[in-house]
């Protein structure tokens, strides 16, 4: 009732069976707040709230909505994005490293809401009709034999963000819909077959079930004799009466608390209650030895509690028929349990089967979440992931990519934020505003017979965000000169010729500077992206970590440039406060740096202390490796907050640092190898040649270390 009263102002004067919310007069009519574009997204759209209580009903309705839709808006709300600051995607990340970070996020965090909004074109109204749905999700354990632990991370900033926008955590945790991925469903069926084959016993008394247990105690002897008498009396009563009815079965003579007489599969039966497991074994032993026409049947009820019965059969053929009936019931029960546990994945399967155009906004991580939660374990490479998701959803569009893929749209969106709420406010203005951006009309439709399931949508709720995403997409299509007036009902917009080159192209992250083609798994540069850094050359990159905490990226760059030259470093990027990536201008500088570092660390002489790199090496814990080691660290399932701790947990020292090669056995002291370096403006070159040090004083070496002059130039000046 409270929900009805809250929605009453929004739902006045409805038509007899359908409530229509005209986008231009309701959801677009809220005035923008003073907080800027991100706060200007309007509310007031009726969004259907779906929990495990009304999933079946909502799914049946959604099936028809999706079948008639031109495209479907899509969004997810998650419990977090990055498990550590260094797990965030960086501009200097290579494509495979970026994917590993996004894969880690999809695997560790939970999907809490799924937003689905089908958009159907109505020629009579010249408008799209939208049906936003908001599905609450919670990975609840549904199968009793499933021993897996359903764990996920929560990022405090993400949870705080959701709470700020009134996310209903109670509904999510108590009424959220659980799920099985396709891989988990297959595994569950296999487990069921094995477990029920072992646990559910359907056997006749003539079958051999191992050796009978010896009757060692007087209590066991008395119990078996009493069971023989009881079953004999019951069988005699059945044989002596041509018509066995409930009156006979329920008579006090045969029916007790422990022997509840019932019918099972149209046959007389006794339900065994209150017996211990040892007594049940004795009963089976009695039946095998003394009763050919009685079968011991153990099945499991809906709540997975065991039910033990003794069933009377006419003959061996009847026993075989009974076994077949029970096995068929078990098979049906197994399928029903797994089908129920699939839960929210039914929605994903529906979208996949209809092969409609799926529209998201910056949706790469959302799609990775869908793959991880509802399809199976994420592949190890971005190409395999792309080809795998393309088989499930062959048509995906990203509104953020659309904003930068066309010159006309780029000009329209110049200097505008590309966040979803800002794009919605800009591209979908109110009806009262005078604007040259004539929006496509959109109506939100809700069935008045299920009004209690609806709530007024709000920003950062998955269902409402899916609606905003679809609305932005419709306006962008209009600016791409797509004429919806010629769109027929049920036509799939993915087949539109003007949209083809934008389908299945999306950016892996906002700072990737690339566009991923899901149909091929390949990436190409995003021509509209302006990078803050020079082009990355990954063979020229060195990873440095575990240096002194007070050291900054600029200090590290300055120290390296003193040795290798002022132009030797093109980029230095802080991963976090414990690690940096350094890109050299020349590939050979990578090995030169690693070799020099190893050489300096092998001695404690004065020169090693006074060398410019001592700033980086101070403390004796600094580690360095090439870019491939960085990739291996990002690929690990180990989870540490600081990158240096992660690196230490993943890679022992012997595996990360490149060894110096071609060093003579006599070069054990740094004082001898220092003379083998010739410092030039652009870098340092190493040789193994020993030179006579008699003409170079200690003061000369100190001067060289302090002012950057080379030993070679010093020697020339002296001669």
């Amino acid at each position: 009732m409270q929900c009805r009263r809250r929605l009453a102002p929004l739902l006045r004067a409805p038509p007899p069976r359908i409530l229509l919310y005209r986008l231009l007069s309701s959801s677009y009519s809220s005035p923008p707040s003073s907080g800027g574009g991100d706060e200007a997204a309007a509310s007031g759209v009726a969004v259907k709230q779906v929990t495990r209580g009304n999933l079946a009903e909502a799914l049946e309705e959604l099936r028809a909505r999706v079948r008639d839709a031109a495209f479907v808006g899509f969004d997810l709300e998650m419990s977090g994005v990055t498990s550590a600051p260094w797990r965030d995607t960086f501009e200097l990340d290579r494509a495979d490293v970026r994917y590993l970070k996004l894969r880690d996020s999809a695997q560790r965090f939970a999907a809490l809401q799924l937003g689905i909004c089908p958009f159907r074109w109505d020629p009579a109204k010249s408008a799209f009709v939208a049906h936003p749905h908001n599905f609450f999700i919670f990975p609840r354990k549904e199968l009793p034999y499933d021993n897996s632990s359903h764990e996920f991370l929560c990022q405090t900033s993400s949870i705080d963000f959701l709470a700020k926008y009134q996310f209903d955590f109670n509904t999510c945790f108590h009424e959220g819909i659980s799920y099985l991925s396709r891989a988990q469903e297959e595994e569950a069926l296999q487990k069921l077959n094995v477990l029920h084959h072992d646990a559910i016993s359907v056997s006749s008394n003539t079958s051999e079930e191992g050796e009978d247990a010896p009757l060692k105690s007087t209590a066991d002897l008395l119990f078996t004799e009493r069971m023989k008498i009881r079953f004999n009396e019951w069988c005699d009563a059945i044989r002596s009466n041509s018509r066995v009815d409930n009156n006979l079965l329920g008579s006090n003579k045969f029916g007790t608390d422990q022997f509840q007489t019932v019918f099972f599969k149209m046959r007389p039966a006794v339900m065994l209650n209150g017996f211990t497991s040892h007594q049940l074994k004795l009963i089976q032993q009695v039946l095998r030895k003394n009763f050919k026409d009685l079968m011991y049947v153990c099945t499991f009820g809906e709540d997975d509690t065991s039910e033990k019965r003794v069933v009377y059969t006419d003959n061996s053929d009847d026993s075989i028929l009974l076994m077949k009936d029970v096995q068929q019931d078990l098979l049906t029960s197994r399928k029903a349990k797994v089908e129920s546990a699939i839960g929210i994945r039914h929605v994903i399967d529906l979208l996949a089967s209809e092969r409609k155009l799926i529209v998201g906004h910056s949706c790469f991580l959302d799609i990775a979440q869908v793959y991880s939660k509802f399809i199976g374990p994420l592949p190890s490479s971005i190409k395999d992931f792309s080809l795998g998701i393309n088989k499930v959803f062959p048509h995906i569009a990203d509104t953020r990519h659309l904003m930068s893929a066309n010159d006309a749209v780029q000009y329209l969106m110049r200097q505008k934020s590309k966040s979803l709420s800002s794009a919605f406010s800009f591209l979908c203005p109110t009806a009262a505003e005078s604007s040259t951006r004539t929006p496509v009309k959109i109506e939100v439709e809700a069935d008045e017979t299920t009004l209690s399931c609806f709530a007024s949508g709000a920003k950062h709720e998955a269902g409402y965000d899916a609606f905003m995403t679809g609305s932005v997409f419709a306006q962008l299509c209009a600016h791409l000169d797509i004429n919806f007036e010629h769109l027929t009902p049920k036509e799939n917009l993915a087949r539109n010729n003007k949209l083809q080159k934008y389908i299945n192209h999306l950016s892996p992250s906002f700072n990737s500077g690339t566009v991923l083609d899901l149909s091929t798994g390949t990436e190409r540069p995003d021509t509209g992206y302006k990078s803050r850094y020079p082009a990355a050359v990954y063979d020229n990159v060195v990873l440095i970590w575990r240096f002194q905490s007070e050291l900054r990226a600029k200090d590290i760059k300055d120290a390296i440039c003193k040795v290798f030259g002022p132009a030797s470093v093109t980029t230095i990027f802080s991963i976090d406060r414990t690690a940096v990536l350094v890109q050299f201008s020349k590939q050979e500088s990578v090995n030169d740096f690693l070799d020099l570092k190893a050489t300096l660390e092998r001695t404690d002489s004065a020169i090693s202390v006074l060398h410019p790199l001592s700033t980086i090496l101070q403390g004796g814990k600094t580690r360095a490796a090439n870019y491939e080691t960085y990739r291996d660290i990002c690929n690990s399932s180990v989870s540490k907050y600081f990158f240096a701790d992660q690196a230490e947990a993943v890679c022992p020292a012997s595996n990360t640092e490149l060894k110096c090669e071609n060093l003579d056995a006599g070069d054990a002291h740094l004082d001898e190898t220092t003379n083998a370096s010739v410092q030039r403006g652009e870098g340092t070159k190493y040789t193994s040649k020993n030179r006579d040090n008699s003409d170079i004083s200690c003061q000369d070496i100190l001067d060289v270390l302090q002012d950057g002059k080379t030993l070679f130039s010093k020697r020339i000046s002296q001669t």
Side-chain angles (χ1 to χ4, degrees):
M1 291 301 296
Q2 292 179 352
C3 180
R4 287 179 179 268
R5 286 195 295 269
R6 188 172 66 253
L7 289 175
L10 303 171
L11 308 175
R12 289 170 180 166
R17 295 184 61 83
I18 299 296
L19 300 171
L20 294 178
Y21 301 84
R22 186 169 297 277
L23 189 60
L24 297 180
S25 61
S26 62
S27 69
Y28 284 1
S29 61
S30 299
S33 69
S34 59
D38 284 344
E39 300 298 329
S43 60
V45 170
V47 178
K48 184 163 189 175
Q49 308 296 316
V50 185
T51 64
R52 58 178 176 170
N54 65 333
L55 174 63
E57 170 199 345
L59 188 62
E60 191 62 31
E61 175 206 342
L62 185 64
R63 196 178 306 278
R65 305 298 191 195
V66 172
R67 188 177 299 116
D68 295 341
F71 63 93
V72 179
F74 159 80
D75 186 72
L76 274 179
E77 295 298 333
M78 294 160 278
S79 64
V81 179
T82 55
S83 57
W86 63 269
R87 289 279 192 187
D88 203 355
T89 55
F90 302 138
E91 202 164 344
L92 206 60
D93 284 341
R94 198 168 59 193
D96 56 340
V97 173
R98 187 184 309 112
Y99 170 71
L100 292 174
K101 291 182 175 183
L102 293 168
R103 185 182 70 167
D104 176 83
S105 174
Q107 291 172 335
R108 293 184 186 276
F109 294 99
L112 301 179
Q113 277 185 347
L114 169 65
I116 299 295
C117 186
F119 285 77
R120 172 179 57 86
W121 179 253
D122 189 336
K125 300 175 182 177
S126 295
F128 277 109
V129 179
H131 300 88
H133 292 67
N134 189 54
F135 295 85
F136 285 92
I137 307 174
F138 188 73
R140 191 177 294 101
K141 180 179 177 180
E142 294 286 356
L143 299 176
Y145 55 84
D146 183 9
N147 295 323
S148 60
S149 178
H150 296 269
E151 299 176 347
F152 60 87
L153 294 183
C154 288
Q155 188 175 3
T156 54
S157 58
S158 295
I159 298 300
D160 184 61
F161 177 83
L162 292 175
K164 176 183 176 182
Y165 288 96
Q166 289 80 48
F167 184 91
D168 193 342
F169 291 100
N170 282 332
T171 299
C172 180
F173 296 152
H174 288 291
E175 297 297 328
I177 308 163
S178 60
Y179 55 84
L180 290 179
S181 68
R182 293 180 179 181
Q184 289 172 328
E185 178 190 6
E186 183 178 353
E187 181 183 357
L189 289 173
Q190 292 175 351
K191 282 185 177 181
L192 272 174
N193 289 330
V194 173
L195 290 174
H196 281 280
H197 181 270
D198 295 339
I200 299 180
S201 171
V202 181
S203 58
S204 68
N205 59 297
T206 57
S207 63
E208 297 183 1
E209 296 190 4
E211 298 180 358
D212 291 336
L215 304 178
K216 297 181 179 180
S217 67
T218 303
D220 288 349
L221 289 170
L222 292 175
F223 179 80
T224 54
E225 287 299 319
R226 185 160 57 90
M227 290 300 102
K228 275 193 284 185
I229 295 172
R230 177 60 62 91
F231 286 122
N232 266 321
E233 292 177 348
W234 184 58
C235 289
D236 291 341
I238 293 175
R239 296 188 189 104
S240 62
N241 288 272
S242 58
R243 180 174 177 270
V244 180
D245 55 19
N246 290 330
N247 292 329
L248 175 65
L249 293 180
S251 64
N252 293 333
K253 183 177 181 180
F254 303 108
T256 64
D257 290 341
Q258 286 188 310
F259 287 86
Q260 181 183 354
T261 52
V262 294
F263 277 99
F264 180 74
K265 299 291 182 184
M266 304 299 293
R267 297 171 178 84
V270 173
M271 184 79 73
L272 303 177
N273 301 317
F275 291 100
T276 66
S277 59
H278 177 66
Q279 289 174 332
L280 290 173
K281 289 181 180 179
L282 293 177
I283 290 175
Q284 294 178 61
Q285 185 173 317
V286 168
L287 296 178
R288 283 195 298 272
K289 286 185 175 181
N290 303 282
F291 301 95
K292 296 181 179 180
D293 46 4
L294 297 184
M295 289 185 63
Y296 180 85
V297 178
C298 177
T299 60
F300 290 88
E302 293 183 359
D303 56 353
D304 212 49
T305 57
S306 60
E307 297 176 347
K308 289 90 175 176
R309 302 178 182 87
V310 176
V311 184
Y312 180 88
T313 58
D314 294 331
N315 48 50
S316 59
D317 291 340
D318 190 33
S319 299
I320 294 173
L321 181 61
L322 175 61
M323 291 177 64
K324 289 182 177 179
D325 288 345
V326 172
Q327 291 292 345
Q328 184 60 42
D329 286 349
L330 294 176
L331 180 61
T332 303
S333 175
R334 294 169 190 167
K335 290 182 177 180
K337 286 182 179 180
V338 175
E339 184 76 9
S340 176
I342 288 173
I344 193 67
R345 206 202 78 214
H346 284 301
V347 177
I348 303 301
D349 290 344
L350 168 62
L351 297 177
S353 64
E354 293 296 336
R355 305 179 76 82
K356 295 291 185 176
L357 175 62
I358 307 299
V359 180
H361 182 83
S362 294
C363 58
F364 186 91
L365 183 56
D366 292 5
I367 294 171
Q369 275 277 3
V370 168
Y371 196 111
S372 174
K373 302 301 186 291
F374 308 126
I375 299 174
L378 282 162
S380 58
S381 72
I382 192 169
K383 181 175 182 179
D384 291 340
F385 164 74
S386 300
L387 298 178
I389 200 68
N390 189 246
K391 290 180 180 179
V392 181
F393 300 120
H395 313 294
I396 297 177
D398 190 335
T399 52
R400 189 182 182 95
H401 172 64
L402 278 176
M403 292 178 193
S404 59
N406 178 273
D407 291 340
V409 176
Q410 278 190 36
Y411 181 79
L412 179 70
M413 297 296 297
R414 67 191 185 282
Q415 299 180 343
K416 300 294 182 182
S417 171
K418 291 183 174 60
S419 70
L420 178 59
S421 57
S422 293
F424 179 75
S425 298
F426 177 68
L427 293 172
C428 308
T430 66
E433 291 179 355
S434 58
S435 174
T436 58
R437 307 181 305 277
T438 304
V440 178
K441 290 196 298 183
I442 300 176
E443 295 179 353
V444 179
E445 188 175 271
D447 185 355
E448 64 175 342
T449 61
T450 57
L451 186 58
S452 60
C453 298
F454 287 83
S456 179
K459 187 173 56 171
H460 303 301
E461 176 191 74
Y464 187 72
D465 283 0
F467 162 74
M468 287 201 299
T469 299
S471 300
V472 169
F473 175 74
Q475 314 310 323
L476 290 174
C477 286
H479 291 289
L480 293 174
D481 296 327
I482 296 176
N483 189 352
F484 294 122
E485 295 295 336
H486 303 296
L487 190 67
T488 60
K490 299 185 180 182
E491 181 179 342
N492 193 343
L493 201 56
R495 299 186 178 90
N496 187 281
N497 292 331
K498 293 183 179 180
L499 265 180
Q500 285 297 311
K501 61 181 179 180
Y502 307 111
I503 302 299
N504 293 327
H505 290 85
L506 61 155
S507 299
S509 65
F510 75 96
N511 59 359
S512 66
T514 61
V515 176
L516 174 66
D517 187 345
L518 293 178
S519 61
T520 62
T522 58
E523 287 189 57
R524 60 172 174 79
D526 184 354
T527 56
Y529 183 79
K530 295 181 180 179
S531 176
R532 297 181 299 165
Y533 300 95
V537 182
Y538 297 103
D539 289 339
N540 296 10
V541 175
V542 167
L543 168 67
I544 306 175
W545 73 92
R546 218 164 190 78
F547 41 78
Q548 293 292 304
S549 59
E550 66 272 9
L551 210 58
R552 298 294 178 260
K554 183 180 182 302
D555 302 328
I556 296 174
K557 180 179 180 180
D558 291 343
I560 294 175
C561 288
K562 284 181 181 179
V563 180
F564 291 86
S568 59
V569 176
T570 60
T571 305
I572 185 163
F573 187 90
S574 292
I575 298 173
D576 63 9
R577 66 183 181 88
T578 68
V580 296
L581 290 171
V582 179
Q583 178 169 303
F584 288 94
S585 57
K586 291 187 177 182
Q587 182 178 347
E588 56 266 25
S589 298
V590 173
N591 285 339
D592 290 346
F593 173 82
L594 295 172
D595 290 347
L596 179 57
K597 175 183 177 297
T599 303
L600 290 169
E601 289 175 331
R602 284 202 300 268
T603 180
D604 293 328
S605 69
I607 293 179
S608 65
V609 176
L610 296 171
H611 196 279
L613 288 187
S614 64
T615 304
I616 303 174
L617 305 180
Q618 185 179 359
K621 296 182 179 180
T622 304
R623 305 276 296 281
N626 60 19
Y627 194 85
E628 293 307 315
T629 300
Y630 175 59
R631 180 200 179 279
D632 294 340
I633 294 171
C634 292
N635 190 34
S636 173
S637 59
V638 176
S639 181
K640 302 292 184 181
Y641 186 77
F642 290 114
F643 183 87
D645 296 333
Q646 175 81 6
E648 292 302 306
V650 174
C651 302
S654 59
N655 292 340
T656 57
E657 300 190 0
L658 301 179
K659 301 300 181 183
C660 298
E661 298 178 355
N662 301 323
L663 292 177
D664 293 341
D667 294 342
H669 300 287
L670 180 63
D671 303 79
E672 297 175 343
T673 58
T674 302
N675 305 318
S677 66
V678 180
Q679 182 173 335
R680 302 177 301 180
E682 70 277 11
T684 302
K685 182 177 180 180
Y686 297 93
T687 68
S688 60
K689 181 179 179 180
N690 293 322
R691 298 185 178 182
D692 186 6
N693 296 337
S694 60
D695 59 337
I696 301 177
S697 67
C698 181
Q699 186 60 45
D700 293 332
I701 296 175
L702 293 176
D703 291 340
V704 170
L705 294 175
Q706 291 176 359
D707 60 22
K709 296 179 181 180
T710 66
L711 295 177
F712 180 78
S713 62
K714 183 71 176 178
R715 183 180 292 108
I716 294 299
S717 64
Q718 289 180 350
T719 58

